[in-house]
């Protein structure tokens, strides 16, 4: 009897560990396998290249994670990236100095925040499902980006502005440092502050959250403003890296962001998720994309593989919820 109980406890603990850190293990195994298969995959240069690529859609994924934890979604983030990019580029084109660079980044985040404010208002006060609200914003933001840029790339070749995308501190790309700072800040917000507790409460049971005194509407408003601001920041980062704003930027990034969140264990039913595991999900996508590119896999097959991984992650989440 005692042996049986001990075995049962061990199985439970192993299951809990796998549920909690399974995706981290998959990331390590995936990276190890690709390092053995591809020469130079584990080099510092390649690792920083992966981190740099992940940093931009990874920042969006953090904002999307907050939205999904409330039981919502944000489909507009990729289009907001495009809008923020052309706004930021329009501000810095033909200028010099870090003053205008800071202003351009601030303007990009402000534009993203306005988009998020509209999403949050429609969702929280208009009682429109977030899927529909953010789908509408996705179309609108992409259209406004086309109007602002006349459908063409906008030059952003200001030395100060582009130095953000090109520079490194102690060998670490500036974009990666920004990503880390955003991730740490948002992790503290989600895990240590009352705002984070309210986000989880809404996702767990919105009626119970109301009874407990959570201002659901204001919290949802803050969540979507945050998601929009982070998408705006990603747009400015991408513009500084590409030397131009473009109304086509961020195409399908919202799906990569959702995939990163879901692969990282964020439940589409709401109430479950974390910033660190969202980062793990983004890194899995980044490592997979880089590995498949270096192996010469057809881009169409890459999309199919990514879709299969997303479906697998959602099925895994459904099984977890059934057991719970």
């Amino acid at each position: 009897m005692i042996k049986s109980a001990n075995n049962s406890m061990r199985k439970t603990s192993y299951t809990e560990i796998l549920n909690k850190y399974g995706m981290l293990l998959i990331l390590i195994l995936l990276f190890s396998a690709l390092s053995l298969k591809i020469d130079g995959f584990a080099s510092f240069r390649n690792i920083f290249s992966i981190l740099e690529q992940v940093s931009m859609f990874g920042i969006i994924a953090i904002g999307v994670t907050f939205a999904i934890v409330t039981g919502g979604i944000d489909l507009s983030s990729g289009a907001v990236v495009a809008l923020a990019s052309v706004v930021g580029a329009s501000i810095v084109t033909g200028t010099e100095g870090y003053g205008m660079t800071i202003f351009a980044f601030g303007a990009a985040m402000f534009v993203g925040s306005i988009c998020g404010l509209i999403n949050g208002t429609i969702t929280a006060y208009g009682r429109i499902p977030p899927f529909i609200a953010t789908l509408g914003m996705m179309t609108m933001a992409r259209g406004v980006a086309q109007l602002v840029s006349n459908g063409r790339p906008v030059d952003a070749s200001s030395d100060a502005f582009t130095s953000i995308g090109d520079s490194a501190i102690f060998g670490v790309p500036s974009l990666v440092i920004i990503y880390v700072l955003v991730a740490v800040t948002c992790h503290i917000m989600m895990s240590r502050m009352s705002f984070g507790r309210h986000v989880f409460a809404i996702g767990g049971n919105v009626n119970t959250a109301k009874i407990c005194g959570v201002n659901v509407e204001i919290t949802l408003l803050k969540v979507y403003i945050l998601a929009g601001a982070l998408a705006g920041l990603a747009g400015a980062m991408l513009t500084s890296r590409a030397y131009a704003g473009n109304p086509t930027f961020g195409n399908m990034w919202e799906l990569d962001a959702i995939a990163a969140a879901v692969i990282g264990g964020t439940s589409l039913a709401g109430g479950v998720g974390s910033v660190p595991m969202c980062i793990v999900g983004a890194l899995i996508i980044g490592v997979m994309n880089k590995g498949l590119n270096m192996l010469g896999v057809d881009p169409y097959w890459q999309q199919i593989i990514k879709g299969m991984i997303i479906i697998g992650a959602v099925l895994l989440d459904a099984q977890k919820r059934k057991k719970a």
Side-chain angles (χ1 to χ4, degrees), residues 96-259:
E96 293 298 335
Y98 284 97
M100 290 304 292
T101 294
I102 293 169
F103 180 66
F105 268 79
M109 292 181 69
F110 178 73
V111 167
S113 299
I114 294 298
C115 293
L117 176 64
I118 295 169
N119 283 336
T121 302
I122 294 171
T123 300
Y125 295 100
R127 301 291 189 269
I128 303 297
F131 180 90
I132 301 300
T134 59
L135 182 63
M137 177 54 69
M138 178 180 74
T139 306
M140 288 169 56
R142 187 72 68 180
V144 174
Q146 294 282 356
L147 283 172
V148 171
S149 64
N150 290 320
R152 296 190 298 268
V154 180
D155 179 59
S157 54
S158 159
D159 289 341
F161 184 74
T162 55
S163 69
I164 303 296
D166 289 338
S167 63
I169 300 174
F170 299 113
V172 181
S174 297
L175 298 184
V176 176
I177 293 172
I178 293 172
Y179 181 36
V180 171
L181 291 174
V182 169
V184 170
T185 302
C186 289
H187 175 58
I188 292 170
M189 289 171 63
M190 183 172 270
S191 62
R192 304 288 181 185
M193 296 173 66
S194 59
F195 170 64
R197 290 193 290 273
H198 293 171
V199 168
F200 280 107
I202 292 169
N205 190 309
V206 67
N207 292 323
T208 303
K210 286 179 179 178
I211 292 169
C212 293
V214 175
N215 192 324
V216 173
E217 288 78 14
I218 294 297
T219 302
L220 287 175
L221 211 58
K222 289 178 180 177
V223 164
Y224 284 99
I225 289 172
L226 174 63
L230 292 180
L233 174 60
M237 290 165 64
L238 179 57
T239 306
S240 72
R241 189 78 177 89
Y243 285 59
N246 197 312
T248 64
F249 278 168
N251 189 34
M252 302 296 284
W253 275 23
E254 60 277 355
L255 299 186
D256 279 345
I258 293 167

Side-chain angles (χ1 to χ4, degrees), residues 38-118:
I38 305 169
D39 289 336
F41 192 82
S43 66
F44 280 112
R45 183 178 179 180
N46 192 57
I47 289 170
F48 282 135
S49 174
I50 292 170
L51 290 173
E52 206 166 23
Q53 290 173 13
V54 166
S55 64
M56 287 171 280
F57 81 81
I59 282 179
I60 296 174
I62 292 172
V64 169
T65 296
F66 275 84
I68 295 175
V69 169
T70 65
I73 197 79
D74 187 358
L75 298 176
S76 66
S77 53
V80 172
V81 166
L83 177 56
S85 79
V86 297
V87 169
S90 299
I91 290 170
V92 297
T93 184
T95 67
E96 293 298 335
Y98 284 97
M100 290 304 292
T101 294
I102 293 169
F103 180 66
F105 268 79
M109 292 181 69
F110 178 73
V111 167
S113 299
I114 294 298
C115 293
L117 176 64
I118 295 169

